[in-house]
Amino acid sequence: MATNITSTQLDFDNIKTSLKRYFAQQSEFSDYDFEASGLNNILDVLAYNTHFNGLVANFATNESFLNTAQLRSSVVSHAEALGYRPRSKMSANSTLEVSINLSGVSVPLRPASITLPIGTTFTASNENGSYTFRTKISYNATDDGNGIYTFFDDNAEAKVLVYEGIEKTKTFFVDSLSENQVYVIPDKTIDTAIMKVSVFNSPTSSTFETYTFLEDAIKVDATTTYFDIKEAPNGYYELNFGDGKSFGKSPKVGSKIVVTYNSTSAQAGNLCSGFSAVSDLQVNGVDRPILIGGQVSSYGGSDVETIESVRKLAPIQFSAQQRLVTAIDYKGMIESKFPVVEDVTVWGGEDNFPIDYGKVYISLKFPTGTSNLIQQQTKNKIKTHFTDSLAIMSIDNVFVEPEMSFLELQTNFYYNNSLTSKTQSTLENSVKIAISNHFTSNYGKFEKKFRRSPLLTEIDDLDKSILASRMDIKVQQRFNPALGQNLAYDINFPVALSSTNTSDYIISSSMFIFNGENCIFRNKLGKNTIEIFEPNTGKVVSGNIGEYDFLTGSLSLTTFFPTAIVGGLPYIKVSATPLDQGVLSPLRNFIFTLDESENKAFGNVETNEIKIVL
């Protein structure tokens, strides 16, 4: 056969053309008009069949692997094979200071303690509307001596944890046993993290056993009561139990299974405030208003884990095997368990500056507007629920804040004014907007490298009149000096810096007042020593206040005594020329962003002069 058609070829027209070419090469069809014959219909059927089989084979092969699967059901199935359970929707939650005031009741009539029961309901609202929050455990309060009963949690803190959502129940009756008995909960809004499973001996029994989530198991045998829940292909959730061998006790025939769960609005319930109790609390037969003191805007609500998140985190968790050893183990655990965290980076003490063996450094980036209290609570949960129990002994974790590193860009571009009706200022403004949009789309997270070449390509493609462009880059850090005090400061840059030369200043600062004069500091030409310089008079006010190390990107000011900052800013900008302006790779907890005030573009008209030499 002169023309080969592979079974996985996907283009219909190409397949049909190949078939025609094959028949035309045969002597009996050499002068045959395929388009005007009945054979053309047969070729359509053959081409369609080959095309369809190729598509099926392609789709089936793609869905067989985690990296290429497109259907959520396929990705979830591959993840479960690696021991990873994709996160369901999660309820927004908040902590409240709740109390009852019985100061007007005589001491003999006051109870010794008051219980805030499970299911106590509160309402709160945000820009999306009003939402319902409930307690999932009970809280106790005792008289403080003045008739004020404040409810405390198990850690003796005045915090009542409430979750957004509507409480629902699903009841199953065990009428037979099989090796693969599953119970489907037909609700895609379930929060599997806070569900409760109770198994009654019979439909009329009032006694029950509480089953716990298999992921929380410490020891499993034939008598332990655990349940497992996983996402089904249709998006619902399947509940199953052990068979007395695999992962614990199985409900017997005739049992009643009651599942109590939260039907949540997910991320729509975030940032709720203005909490109030739906009803009063009855104390000794009298309804008493529930008082709410301090409260935290709700947070932590999230939708089901995305396909790309599952694809990324499943292999990481599989390699971690429920222990925290490498930095990527920590990163994967935090990203999968704490959706309130927007981004995370982790590094070992051996990669820190300065080196700090025996430590793991964690930096978390939260969405804009996340309160300090929520951030601290998240860090506490990471430590108490995971790192303290899963990390290697003698390894401590240290949380550090993200550090913004600003880039100063000076762009010069060349354009042919005969190819455009736009003015130079219009083109310059377009370039600056393009740069700003590029940073908005591509940066603002950890470990995002800045590459100059793609940005210059975008600038060149902005307008047909732009012929070429180049860009000079500086890295900028900011610090808040103590005014009127002579102190030492250490400023770290995210990249290595250029070494000294006799023509360019590598380090320079914004303006401040020193000895009553407007000054900046910079390095001496050809040296790494830092001097204070007065630009108006051109004199050096102080010849040595520190030095910089270009390899480590660190700047040390050993003695710095500013009395004010010029320009109305609360900080001083320190700019430095990086060693490699083509690619900037931020270290550790640095995040690149653009200093809009230093985003400058300059257009240059390029004229073509034609010279004829005779």
Side-chain angles (χ1 to χ4, degrees):
M1 186 172 181
T3 302
N4 294 322
I5 302 175
T6 60
S7 60
T8 56
Q9 193 167 334
L10 301 181
D11 187 82
F12 176 87
D13 292 332
N14 286 342
I15 295 171
K16 186 175 180 180
T17 300
S18 298
L19 287 170
K20 287 181 182 179
R21 188 179 300 117
Y22 166 70
F23 280 112
Q25 291 173 350
Q26 310 304 311
S27 58
E28 57 265 44
F29 294 103
S30 58
D31 297 322
Y32 201 82
D33 184 2
F34 291 97
E35 296 299 327
S37 68
L39 186 58
N40 187 61
N41 294 328
I42 297 177
L43 291 178
D44 282 339
V45 173
L46 291 173
Y48 173 79
N49 186 62
T50 304
H51 169 72
F52 184 79
N53 286 336
L55 286 175
V56 171
N58 185 271
F59 290 156
T61 302
N62 284 343
E63 296 303 311
S64 298
F65 300 94
L66 178 63
N67 288 341
T68 56
Q70 299 300 308
L71 297 176
R72 180 175 181 85
S73 57
S74 301
V75 174
V76 169
S77 178
H78 292 309
E80 288 178 351
L82 296 176
Y84 183 83
R85 295 298 171 87
R87 186 179 63 246
S88 69
K89 288 189 175 184
M90 296 187 70
S91 306
N93 64 87
S94 178
T95 53
L96 312 176
E97 292 182 9
V98 180
S99 62
I100 300 291
N101 188 348
L102 298 182
S103 59
V105 179
S106 61
V107 175
L109 297 179
R110 294 178 192 168
S113 64
I114 298 176
T115 299
L116 189 71
I118 297 174
T120 301
T121 306
F122 302 83
T123 58
S125 60
N126 61 15
E127 62 180 9
N128 300 319
S130 180
Y131 294 88
T132 300
F133 290 75
R134 286 179 170 81
T135 59
K136 295 301 176 182
I137 61 174
S138 60
Y139 295 85
N140 294 317
T142 57
D143 191 348
D144 68 348
N146 297 312
I148 305 298
Y149 293 75
T150 302
F151 295 95
F152 288 84
D153 61 14
D154 292 338
N155 296 321
E157 295 185 68
K159 294 179 180 179
V160 171
L161 183 60
V162 293
Y163 292 91
E164 182 277 326
I166 300 172
E167 187 173 271
K168 293 184 178 181
T169 60
K170 177 66 177 176
T171 302
F172 303 97
F173 295 97
V174 184
D175 55 4
S176 65
L177 291 180
S178 66
E179 292 185 358
N180 191 28
Q181 185 77 35
V182 296
Y183 306 92
V184 178
I185 303 173
D187 193 341
K188 297 181 181 181
T189 66
I190 183 174
D191 181 353
T192 61
I194 52 176
M195 62 186 296
K196 178 183 178 183
V197 177
S198 304
V199 178
F200 295 79
N201 291 328
S202 68
T204 59
S205 175
S206 60
T207 60
F208 61 89
E209 287 184 301
T210 299
Y211 279 60
T212 53
F213 195 20
L214 185 61
E215 284 192 357
D216 299 327
I218 298 175
K219 178 182 178 182
V220 178
D221 57 32
T223 62
T224 52
T225 52
Y226 291 108
F227 71 88
D228 194 19
I229 188 166
K230 63 180 182 179
E231 184 179 336
N234 60 1
Y236 293 151
Y237 286 86
E238 295 180 349
L239 180 72
N240 59 80
F241 301 88
D243 56 4
K245 300 176 183 178
S246 55
F247 58 87
K249 185 178 178 180
S250 175
K252 65 181 182 179
V253 175
S255 299
K256 180 177 70 172
I257 302 171
V258 178
V259 181
T260 305
Y261 65 91
N262 223 29
S263 175
T264 178
S265 302
Q267 69 268 30
N270 289 335
L271 301 179
C272 285
S273 58
F275 285 84
S276 61
V278 171
S279 59
D280 295 339
L281 181 64
Q282 194 171 82
V283 180
N284 290 344
V286 179
D287 289 340
R288 301 290 183 181
I290 297 176
L291 306 177
I292 299 176
Q295 56 181 265
V296 178
S297 296
S298 61
Y299 71 100
S302 66
D303 207 343
V304 291
E305 189 170 0
T306 64
I307 290 178
E308 292 308 314
S309 175
V310 175
R311 201 193 310 274
K312 171 187 174 183
L313 297 178
I316 294 176
Q317 181 166 301
F318 176 74
S319 63
Q321 295 293 313
Q322 280 296 95
R323 85 285 187 268
L324 301 177
V325 177
T326 66
I328 199 170
D329 295 340
Y330 285 81
K331 181 178 174 67
M333 178 274 295
I334 294 172
E335 288 183 339
S336 63
K337 302 295 184 183
F338 297 90
V340 69
V341 177
E342 186 177 281
D343 196 19
V344 58
T345 187
V346 183
W347 66 96
E350 70 278 4
D351 296 322
N352 193 59
F353 182 78
I355 293 175
D356 189 10
Y357 293 111
K359 301 287 180 62
V360 170
Y361 286 82
I362 304 171
S363 188
L364 308 176
K365 185 177 185 293
F366 292 87
T368 302
T370 305
S371 69
N372 292 333
L373 181 58
I374 291 174
Q375 295 184 32
Q376 188 57 51
Q377 288 177 342
T378 303
K379 294 173 184 178
N380 293 341
K381 288 180 181 178
I382 292 173
K383 179 175 175 59
T384 57
H385 289 76
F386 293 96
T387 59
D388 283 354
S389 57
L390 300 180
I392 298 174
M393 294 180 64
S394 77
I395 299 294
D396 296 327
N397 56 278
V398 179
F399 289 98
V400 294
E401 294 301 313
E403 189 164 351
M404 304 305 294
S405 186
F406 298 84
L407 297 188
E408 302 176 2
L409 307 184
Q410 180 172 304
T411 307
N412 287 273
F413 63 93
Y414 302 86
Y415 71 100
N416 187 331
N417 58 359
S418 65
L419 298 178
T420 182
S421 59
K422 297 177 181 178
T423 64
Q424 179 173 314
S425 61
T426 300
L427 288 174
E428 290 174 346
N429 191 53
S430 297
V431 169
K432 290 192 290 185
I433 292 174
I435 293 173
S436 181
N437 292 338
H438 178 84
F439 270 81
T440 301
S441 302
N442 297 283
Y443 299 97
K445 290 191 173 184
F446 297 115
E447 302 173 10
K448 288 289 186 179
K449 293 183 179 181
F450 173 80
R451 301 180 188 275
R452 181 171 56 182
S453 178
L455 181 52
L456 289 176
T457 300
E458 288 185 25
I459 293 172
D460 292 343
D461 293 339
L462 278 177
D463 193 278
K464 63 181 181 180
S465 66
I466 298 179
L467 307 175
S469 58
R470 63 181 177 85
M471 182 180 290
D472 295 319
I473 301 168
K474 288 193 175 184
V475 183
Q476 176 200 119
Q477 297 302 124
R478 300 173 178 179
F479 77 106
N480 302 79
L483 300 178
Q485 299 183 49
N486 193 1
L487 299 174
Y489 298 91
D490 291 322
I491 302 168
N492 295 315
F493 290 86
V495 295
L497 305 180
S498 293
S499 57
T500 58
N501 60 70
T502 57
S503 59
D504 300 310
Y505 293 100
I506 307 302
I507 302 287
S508 63
S509 76
S510 59
M511 196 164 287
F512 54 89
I513 295 179
F514 180 80
N515 286 346
E517 298 180 285
N518 291 346
C519 300
I520 65 169
F521 64 73
R522 65 187 186 186
N523 69 291
K524 294 181 179 180
L525 290 178
K527 297 182 180 180
N528 66 343
T529 304
I530 306 299
E531 64 182 10
I532 294 180
F533 176 74
E534 209 284 298
N536 292 329
T537 61
K539 69 177 179 179
V540 175
V541 180
S542 180
N544 188 350
I545 64 167
E547 61 182 22
Y548 85 96
D549 186 331
F550 72 94
L551 289 177
T552 62
S554 60
L555 168 65
S556 297
L557 302 179
T558 56
T559 173
F560 188 50
F561 189 24
T563 55
I565 298 175
V566 178
L569 297 175
Y571 49 77
I572 292 177
K573 298 180 180 181
V574 185
S575 305
T577 304
L579 178 63
D580 181 3
Q581 296 189 39
V583 180
L584 304 182
S585 302
L587 299 173
R588 300 180 294 275
N589 58 323
F590 287 98
I591 297 175
F592 281 145
T593 190
L594 178 67
D595 184 348
E596 293 287 356
S597 65
E598 296 295 335
N599 177 19
K600 299 177 181 179
F602 302 97
N604 302 273
V605 178
E606 182 175 294
T607 58
N608 294 322
E609 296 183 3
I610 301 176
K611 296 182 179 180
I612 301 176
V613 179
L614 298 177

